[in-house]
Amino acid sequence: MLEELGTNDQGDMIINIGPQHPSTHGVLHLVITLNGETVKKVEPHLGYIHRSIEKMCESLSYRQFIYVTSRMDYLSSHINNHGCALCVEKGLQIEIPARAQVIRVLMDELTRLASHLLWWGALAMDLGAFTPFFYSFREREMINELMEDTCGARLTMNYIVPGGVMMDLHPDFQRKVKEFLRLFKSKIHEYDDLVTGNIIFQNRTKGVGYISREDAISYGCTGPTGRGSGLSCDIRKLYPYEIYDQLQFDEVIETDGDSWARYKVRVGEMMQSMRIIEQLIDNIPEGEFQAKTKAVLKLPKGDFYTRVETARGELGVYIVSEGGSTPYRIKFRSPGFSNLSALDHMSRGGKIGDLMATMGTLDLVIPDIDR
Amino acid sequence: MFIKEYFKTIYLTVSSLLKGMKTTGYYFTHQKEIITEQYPEVRPVLAERFKGEVIMPHNEANEHSCTGCQACEIACPNGTIKIVTKNEINAEGKKKKAIDTFVYHLELCTMCNLCVVACPSDAIIMANNYEHSVFDRREFTKVLNNPGSKIMEGIE
């Protein structure tokens, strides 16, 4: 590959973006063929942060492998843990206490909110506005402190375990969540003033990185990327897990398929997450936070598949068990990998500056792609 | 028509920029609402559950409550904990398993809390320490039980 870098025989320039580049948010290597300023081809090169998590999981027991999955999509680590715990519980066929279910959903939605806040700041930074980053981190910091109170960690919590959650909620949790919601609502107008209402930002995202509904389906785009193209793909609505079928929230769908539509979907999802948290925060049932499980978990022979909606799309967890205490094979269907595969299709024919906007609205987390 | 659109866009751009600058200006003049922490001078107050490192609490009589059952060693996904046991002869003249050294490799630990959950006698807990950098890698390997420490009475 390396000898092709420079100029090819058609006179197009081939340049590298990454592996170390501020706008790739990680170690992603893009080889871009340019005709002047027009992008002709985008070729992602992966593997810089491959840690063979799937192989590692084969030697870890069903309690131990969950902590590794926090390191895949580190911005929605709770939801990754949730998906794995659900899959193990499906194999064990155990009932989860009502309190644990509510805590799990609350934590999932807070994680989604925190992840979207980080994305919002990082996207604005990609497009040249540095200040919004600090505004979104101010609110995200409050969620991180909530997590630190209850789970003891800020990013890789390992809080959701097979059978329920690891520890009970911190006594201050409800008060602090309500305080966060009140503060966040009073600050939303700043978000609109700074970025959403900005004409420069709108012009840089409208009509940029278009993908049609059919293409989104064939590339396997899920999450806000798919929903921005009018594809109804919210796992919380389509295949409800835990208590999502009893909650009132809307699936945010935009039909334009461009970066602006994906931006609107994510901002809308933040509001829906707040709606879910508001419904649950006063209705946490009393009782056990963890079901009684055996000391050594052994899944029956067979294969089990569950899926959850992370902040980036659909995460599938597939476990093949031979009946022992460790899985025979684990496969993760990560949302980032499929969303990245659509990047070439989205950015062809656009300008190189628009590539950053497209990549920003895909919300790529590189450890999630490489695993 | 085109020129009209052109100037309209310029007007909207400048007005939306000014709207954003208004927010920036608000915080420029209201410096008390800025929440930046001056880290090395002002030490942060950490949550009580914050997972910094594994420690083994001892009481005043230099006693811990670890029985040497190795449940934490089995629960650990990374091989962070290594327990060396010895046979001790107790007051009734019976042989009893006790810990010799509780070796903890801080550099391998991911603070997943599985060992603390697995411990049947609550002998190890997570501490709030967070500044772990040392000059020599060997200092990461720690022995958690104090020298000359014994197991507490009544813990099996």
Side-chain angles (χ1 to χ4, degrees):
Chain A
M1 194 58 229
L2 280 168
E3 65 269 15
E4 292 175 23
L5 298 176
T7 316
N8 69 1
D9 41 2
Q10 278 119 43
D12 299 328
M13 189 161 71
I14 300 169
I15 61 161
N16 289 302
I17 290 189
Q20 293 291 339
H21 191 271
S23 72
T24 54
H25 306 296
V27 277
L28 177 68
H29 181 192
L30 297 172
V31 179
I32 305 170
T33 312
L34 288 172
N35 180 12
E37 220 184 331
T38 312
V39 177
K40 283 179 88 175
K41 197 171 143 198
V42 179
E43 219 179 313
H45 285 202
L46 305 177
Y48 288 94
I49 195 161
H50 182 71
R51 293 147 297 170
S52 68
I53 282 179
E54 288 174 9
K55 192 73 188 167
M56 266 167 76
C57 291
E58 289 172 19
S59 59
L60 296 173
S61 78
Y62 289 112
R63 273 188 214 284
Q64 289 171 342
F65 88 93
I66 289 183
Y67 95 95
V68 193
T69 58
S70 307
R71 273 109 183 136
M72 295 196 314
D73 182 354
Y74 50 81
L75 291 178
S76 42
S77 54
H78 265 308
I79 314 180
N80 292 352
N81 296 351
H82 195 168
C84 300
L86 276 178
C87 198
V88 174
E89 282 152 12
K90 194 178 182 184
L92 292 169
Q93 290 180 329
I94 45 176
E95 279 284 311
I96 308 305
R99 184 177 173 84
Q101 292 194 6
V102 172
I103 294 175
R104 281 177 173 193
V105 170
L106 265 173
M107 287 299 180
D108 277 10
E109 294 309 317
L110 281 172
T111 315
R112 197 184 314 278
L113 203 51
S115 168
H116 283 346
L117 279 172
L118 189 142
W119 157 83
W120 184 84
L123 171 70
M125 203 164 69
D126 284 349
L127 297 180
F130 197 80
T131 331
F133 191 70
F134 295 108
Y135 287 84
S136 72
F137 263 58
R138 180 186 60 194
E139 266 78 64
R140 186 174 173 269
E141 186 62 28
M142 297 183 76
I143 302 181
N144 271 349
E145 274 169 13
L146 279 171
M147 300 282 181
E148 206 179 342
D149 273 351
T150 295
C151 321
R154 295 161 65 87
L155 211 60
T156 51
M157 291 88 168
N158 189 30
Y159 181 63
I160 297 174
V161 292
V165 290
M166 194 177 251
M167 291 167 275
D168 207 353
L169 286 178
H170 194 270
D172 277 351
F173 182 79
Q174 274 162 299
R175 183 180 61 78
K176 282 196 173 173
V177 169
K178 278 179 203 160
E179 196 185 307
F180 161 72
L181 288 177
R182 187 181 56 76
L183 260 167
F184 185 50
K185 276 186 181 161
S186 70
K187 305 278 188 196
I188 284 175
H189 72 95
E190 287 182 358
Y191 286 59
D192 293 340
D193 287 353
L194 278 168
V195 172
T196 315
N198 192 309
I199 303 295
I200 301 172
F201 179 82
Q202 288 185 13
N203 286 348
R204 283 206 62 184
T205 48
K206 275 181 184 166
V208 166
Y210 174 77
I211 186 164
S212 68
R213 187 171 172 271
E214 286 69 31
D215 289 328
I217 292 171
S218 60
Y219 277 105
C221 294
T222 48
T225 313
R227 286 197 282 283
S229 303
L231 170 64
S232 168
C233 57
D234 197 332
I235 306 297
R236 297 174 293 172
K237 280 276 181 206
L238 297 175
Y239 306 96
Y241 51 97
E242 305 287 17
I243 51 163
Y244 275 116
D245 49 348
Q246 301 157 24
L247 297 170
Q248 268 118 45
F249 66 100
D250 300 326
E251 184 179 0
V252 188
I253 294 179
E254 297 282 335
T255 47
D256 296 340
D258 55 0
S259 295
W260 179 243
R262 291 192 283 276
Y263 176 85
K264 280 196 286 184
V265 168
R266 284 209 173 84
V267 172
E269 271 191 15
M270 285 199 243
M271 304 303 141
Q272 296 303 322
S273 287
M274 281 211 287
R275 214 173 130 194
I276 295 175
I277 295 166
E278 276 173 348
Q279 284 171 44
L280 287 176
I281 192 64
D282 283 324
N283 302 314
I284 305 175
E286 294 295 320
E288 292 284 309
F289 59 89
Q290 202 172 5
K292 289 266 180 293
T293 46
K294 286 178 186 164
V296 179
L297 302 178
K298 277 186 180 170
L299 258 67
K301 200 170 176 177
D303 49 347
F304 310 97
Y305 184 73
T306 50
R307 39 185 171 181
V308 286
E309 178 81 16
T310 74
R312 267 147 214 88
E314 177 188 337
L315 173 83
V317 183
Y318 181 60
I319 297 181
V320 182
S321 170
E322 294 265 276
S325 59
T326 56
Y328 175 74
R329 174 85 169 91
I330 283 194
K331 164 85 183 128
F332 297 112
R333 182 253 183 246
S334 69
F337 188 80
S338 313
N339 290 352
L340 174 69
S341 67
L343 178 65
D344 180 39
H345 179 88
M346 287 174 177
S347 48
R348 261 186 205 199
K351 298 279 184 279
I352 189 165
D354 296 344
L355 177 71
M356 298 306 144
T358 313
M359 213 152 66
T361 50
L362 282 181
D363 196 10
L364 301 172
V365 168
I366 314 304
D368 182 39
I369 298 164
D370 272 349
R371 295 196 291 287
Chain B
M1 198 61 206
F2 174 76
I3 291 171
K4 206 177 161 190
E5 277 292 305
Y6 181 77
F7 282 107
K8 198 182 158 196
T9 315
I10 289 177
Y11 169 73
L12 283 173
T13 309
V14 171
S15 64
S16 67
L17 266 179
L18 286 175
K19 215 173 161 189
M21 286 303 285
K22 209 178 109 194
T23 309
T24 315
Y26 176 80
Y27 285 99
F28 189 72
T29 50
H30 294 68
Q31 296 200 353
K32 276 182 186 164
E33 291 182 36
I34 299 172
I35 52 157
T36 318
E37 285 176 23
Q38 305 292 326
Y39 162 58
E41 288 85 30
V42 183
R43 314 299 289 178
V45 184
L46 290 174
E48 52 190 290
R49 291 187 189 177
F50 179 75
K51 297 183 275 193
E53 82 178 300
V54 175
I55 56 161
M56 184 184 279
H58 289 66
N59 65 3
E60 305 85 49
N62 201 15
E63 288 175 333
H64 56 76
S65 45
C66 177
T67 59
C69 70
Q70 293 174 324
C72 49
E73 197 179 329
I74 297 163
C76 181
N78 312 306
T80 306
I81 295 168
K82 181 81 192 144
I83 296 173
V84 184
T85 54
K86 62 181 177 189
N87 280 327
E88 231 171 36
I89 296 158
N90 64 359
E92 292 138 38
K94 276 185 186 169
K95 268 190 182 177
K96 207 182 161 195
K97 205 164 113 180
I99 58 164
D100 183 37
T101 42
F102 189 109
V103 185
Y104 170 60
H105 297 274
L106 180 60
E107 79 271 31
L108 297 178
C109 186
T110 57
M111 319 297 166
C112 66
N113 211 29
L114 285 173
C115 53
V116 178
V117 171
C119 184
S121 55
D122 296 331
I124 44 175
I125 55 164
M126 282 283 180
N128 274 3
N129 312 342
Y130 55 93
E131 283 167 334
H132 288 311
S133 48
V134 286
F135 284 105
D136 195 332
R137 199 168 65 178
R138 282 171 294 182
E139 289 173 47
F140 280 131
T141 307
K142 297 181 179 184
V143 176
L144 293 191
N145 53 331
N146 289 354
S149 60
K150 269 191 183 138
I151 185 166
M152 267 180 228
E153 288 291 314
I155 289 170
E156 290 299 318

